[in-house]
Amino acid sequence: MGLTKQYLRYVASAVFGVIGSQKANIAFVTLRGGEKGRYVAVGACEHVFIWDVRKAEKVLILEGKKHEVTYLCPSPDGVHIAVGYEDGGVRIFNLHNGESNISFSGHKSAVSVIRYDALGARLVTGSRDTDVIVWDIINECGLYRLKGHKDAITQILFLESKNLLITSSKDSFVKWWDLDTQHCFKTMVGHRTEVWGMVLLNQESRLLTGSADSELRAWDIQYIEEGKEVGEPQEKKVRTLLENEEEDEEGLDEEPEERILSCKKAGSVLREARDRVVSLVTEPKAKVLACHGLDATLEVFTVLSEKEVQKKMDRKLKKAKKKAKSQEEEEDGPEPVVERKLSDEIQKLANIKASSKIRSMDCLLVPNGEIKLALLLQNNTVETYTLKTTEKNPTGTKTSRLTLGGHRTDVRTLAFSSDNIAILSASGETVKVWNRSTLQVIRTMGCEYALCSLFVPGDRQIILGTKSGKIQIFDLASGSLLETTDAHDGALWSMCLSPDQRGIVTGGADKTVKFWDFELIKDQDSGKSKRLTVKHTRTLQLDEDVLCVRYSPDQRLLAVSLLDCTVKIFYTDTLKFFLSLYGHKLPVLCLDISHDSALIGTGSADRNVKIWGLDFGDCHRSMFAHDDSVMFLQFVPKTHLFFTAGKDRKIKQWDADKFEHIQTLEGHHREVWCLAISPNGDHIVSSSHDKSLRLWERTREPIILEEEKEMEREAEFEESLAKGDEPVVPGETKGEAEPAGKKTIETVKAAEQIMEAVELYREESEKLEEHSAACKAAGKELPPPKMNPILVAFGNISPSRYVLEVIKKVRSSELEVSLLVLPFPYVSDLLKLFNGYVQQGLEVELVCRCLFFLLRVHFGQITSNQMLLSVIDELRTNTIAKVREIRDVLGFNSAGLQFLQREIESKEDVMFFADATDRFEEKKRKRKKRERAVLTIT
């Protein structure tokens, strides 16, 4: 067997350069011991970053898997945060340690909104798949799925007092759900366009909705007492068929009978913006309301309490009476009446102009009457503002701005320094130099729109090629622009350092390739010191726009990619034409030459990569590389391996000798624009339209191609398995409420594990029966049969106990769906096992949950099976007795704890379980007040 070529695996190392992704919202969070309004959570691709806005630094990263974050919602106690993802999954993270122990999977597409109830025990999620799912956080399972909307869910609100839920959607409807009966009892149809946001005001007695116009509509909520009828009287029940049809046609315009509550329009608040509402948010006590559209203006309103409104009305009435009194002297008139308007209750506070378009916002009211606002902007920036509500004409004050850790626009060029330590990234407005090991920004310098870049030998200066055709030279030590040179009349698309390191070559849209030499000239500002400049030496005129230029490492040849889909090879010294490489159907966007000047790789907008020989210009192989344009291609130094980046969000590694695909680096969520490989080949950095920079590093783990292909096939099979038809519960009709679970590869695997455990139990039971029969036939005790190695591994447990251990390992949120796909023969065995578990008092709650679910699903088959009659009868008596016993224990313990609490409180005269944080804050405020008073006295 011949020697195989060894490839080493590249793995994801870090994500940086992104401050906040545009897919997710921003939310204030409270870390342990931290003050309110200091920390904000934002989505950052698949992760969640917690930023300290005061210090402008990242304090915590909640690591995701591979899907992008789409929504964030902190829990009411501030300890947890629920994160929704692009694939419809939800994970709950602990903000103290950054760990995630609870995850739910029920939606088919991205989660669009998440809401906690007041206690933090239930979670409601809405998605683009039009479904709303209610989850039980304590039991870690789905309760039910509410179906009825016809488009993506935009907002969800809890009405805590009545256990009701309000949902809004892009289908223009607002639906009211009774969570006790799990049905929709009211649909509001007063909007003509999509409902983008809504909030509850005035102790849940008013609903405010934002739509696609400049109006915020207000609706009064009135609860209907039981037995009292509201709406149209009931029609006669006995009719002829003809009368029924006629009255149905006439009664289309009639209002339906109101149930539980009535919701009537109370007026509207006009916004200054003319576009749709993007965010409509209140702080937790609903005293302040903030909203914004697609522009950079945030509008802040204050919601007056009933007392304040009454005072205002009294003042208005007083003024009206005074005015009427003066008019009465002239002529007699009626008593003045002041009409109460919505503008008297919701008043405009201020407008805040952000530095760019706003993507999302969150607000917080601190005890001193100050509003803290956090804005996530469209240009990868987070800004915070404060607004004092006590002032007569308050204005927003910018308190912090997070910009240093990322670019405002997409990074279009990357470069590594010669010592592998520094990374250069340049975008439409700035160039940044990063430390590779710490991922901290070393230098930020303003520049024009950069398209290509490189480090000058010595790594003390950098050179950029811009969209306007200029060459910009920056000094890293001072962080200043040394020189701007007009190089091309069009965009400067490509730049390459000469192998002798004495100059550069540039190619532009003006159909020329220009050669430049480095020179040191006297600095006119200082007079003594010398600075770097570039001197134009030669020009190569071509017939088409130049897209990419590269020197061969031996500096003998120059490869130029042209807009006519060909690559021309010239001799460097004489600029004579040598070869023309044609075969691509669309322009070649990138190319590179191997270290030994033997091979040239070209990547094109036609999605193909071609490998050519540089001796005769023959095409060795054409490979279909990406599902979209190939944007970048570069050889790994001193090898014939190369990497390509594409608009299909993937980075791929290839072998140019064997023409094989080695591995795919997945992680970016948008088009990959460019990448750079470090001179030693150990690191790769890539940039994408998702504003992120990703660092990949080479490990010592070898890649076996056959295994990689096998793993890819397995992943495809698992994906197709999870996408199969949803299992159907016999006898259950499709209605408004359905089970919350979803078939995934995890649920399929869990079901297989349960089936394997039951089969093992059957085998072991048969062995024990055969052993007992053999003992009886022999008339003496025979040695026991050999135990299954799996049972030995679990500590010599019994087969029945092993089945219970397997069921316990199934994630709580996936248990029902896993049991749903079990064939009935396994269910009959499980019912017998459940009886034994209940008798022994093993995991009674879990067993009862599984038992009741299986009975509901397989009711028809179980009741018609005579063999299971005795088992079900035993289960009935045993479960009732055990559950009653557990309930008595819990009741006794609860009563005991309450008694202890009363005893301690009466002894110490303090509230033992009261939340001490409010008292601590009050003490802190008093201490600061005293300190200020002392300072003013001194």
Side-chain angles (χ1 to χ4, degrees), residues 25 27 29 41 48 62 69-76 79-85 89-95 100 102 104 111 113-116 122-125 135 137:
N25 59 317
V29 292
V48 176
L62 309 176
V69 175
T70 55
Y71 203 85
L72 305 171
C73 180
S75 63
V79 178
H80 298 92
I81 185 167
V83 183
Y85 293 93
V90 177
R91 292 175 74 193
I92 297 175
F93 288 88
N94 188 317
L95 286 170
S100 167
I102 303 172
F104 301 122
V111 175
V113 61
I114 301 175
R115 187 72 65 228
Y116 275 96
R122 285 180 301 175
L123 191 75
V124 183
T125 59
W135 307 91
I137 295 172

Side-chain angles (χ1 to χ4, degrees), residues 12 24 47 84 99 102 216 244 255 332 345 373 393 411 446 453 491 551 592 637 699 732 825 864 886 890 895 921:
H47 306 310
E99 291 178 2
I102 303 172
L216 296 177
N244 193 358
E255 288 185 15
D332 292 336
E345 298 175 42
L373 300 152
N393 294 312
V411 172
S453 63
Y551 273 114
D592 199 20
T699 61
E732 281 205 2
S864 60
I886 290 169
L890 285 172
E921 290 290 332

Side-chain angles (χ1 to χ4, degrees), residues 750 753-765 790-791 794 797-810 815 819 822 826 829-834 837 842-843 846-847 850:
Q753 285 167 357
I754 294 170
M755 287 192 281
E756 285 168 9
V758 172
E759 281 169 6
L760 189 144
Y761 164 75
R762 286 174 182 167
E763 288 170 13
E764 292 299 309
S765 301
I790 296 172
L791 301 178
F794 272 79
I797 59 172
S798 64
S800 61
R801 190 66 190 263
Y802 172 68
V803 176
L804 182 61
E805 291 297 320
V806 169
I807 294 171
K808 273 167 68 179
K809 281 184 180 177
V810 178
L815 186 61
L819 292 170
L822 289 180
Y826 293 94
D829 282 335
L830 281 174
L831 291 176
K832 291 168 188 170
L833 286 166
F834 288 166
Y837 301 149
L842 298 170
E843 301 290 339
L846 176 66
V847 169
C850 298

Side-chain angles (χ1 to χ4, degrees), residues 481-552:
L481 176 64
L482 293 179
E483 186 181 81
T484 301
T485 306
D486 290 324
H488 293 267
D489 293 334
L492 200 162
W493 287 115
S494 184
M495 181 190 296
C496 182
L497 183 69
S498 63
D500 62 6
Q501 301 192 340
R502 289 182 181 178
I504 57 170
V505 61
T506 59
D510 59 354
K511 304 178 183 178
T512 59
V513 173
K514 293 188 179 180
F515 295 81
W516 309 79
D517 283 348
F518 294 135
E519 274 193 356
L520 287 172
I521 59 168
K522 276 189 180 179
D523 195 348
Q524 292 175 356
D525 297 334
S526 62
K528 291 180 182 178
S529 62
K530 291 187 174 183
R531 66 172 178 82
L532 184 78
T533 184
V534 287
K535 182 186 174 186
H536 180 218
T537 56
R538 293 186 292 170
T539 302
L540 174 63
Q541 188 67 42
L542 294 157
D543 298 330
E544 293 285 342
D545 290 13
V546 177
L547 298 178
C548 191
V549 291
R550 283 291 179 273
Y551 273 114
S552 63

Side-chain angles (χ1 to χ4, degrees), residues 565-581:
C565 311
T566 64
V567 176
K568 301 280 195 295
I569 313 291
F570 298 90
Y571 289 106
T572 308
D573 49 1
T574 61
L575 297 184
K576 283 186 178 177
F577 176 74
F578 173 47
L579 292 169
S580 178
L581 312 177

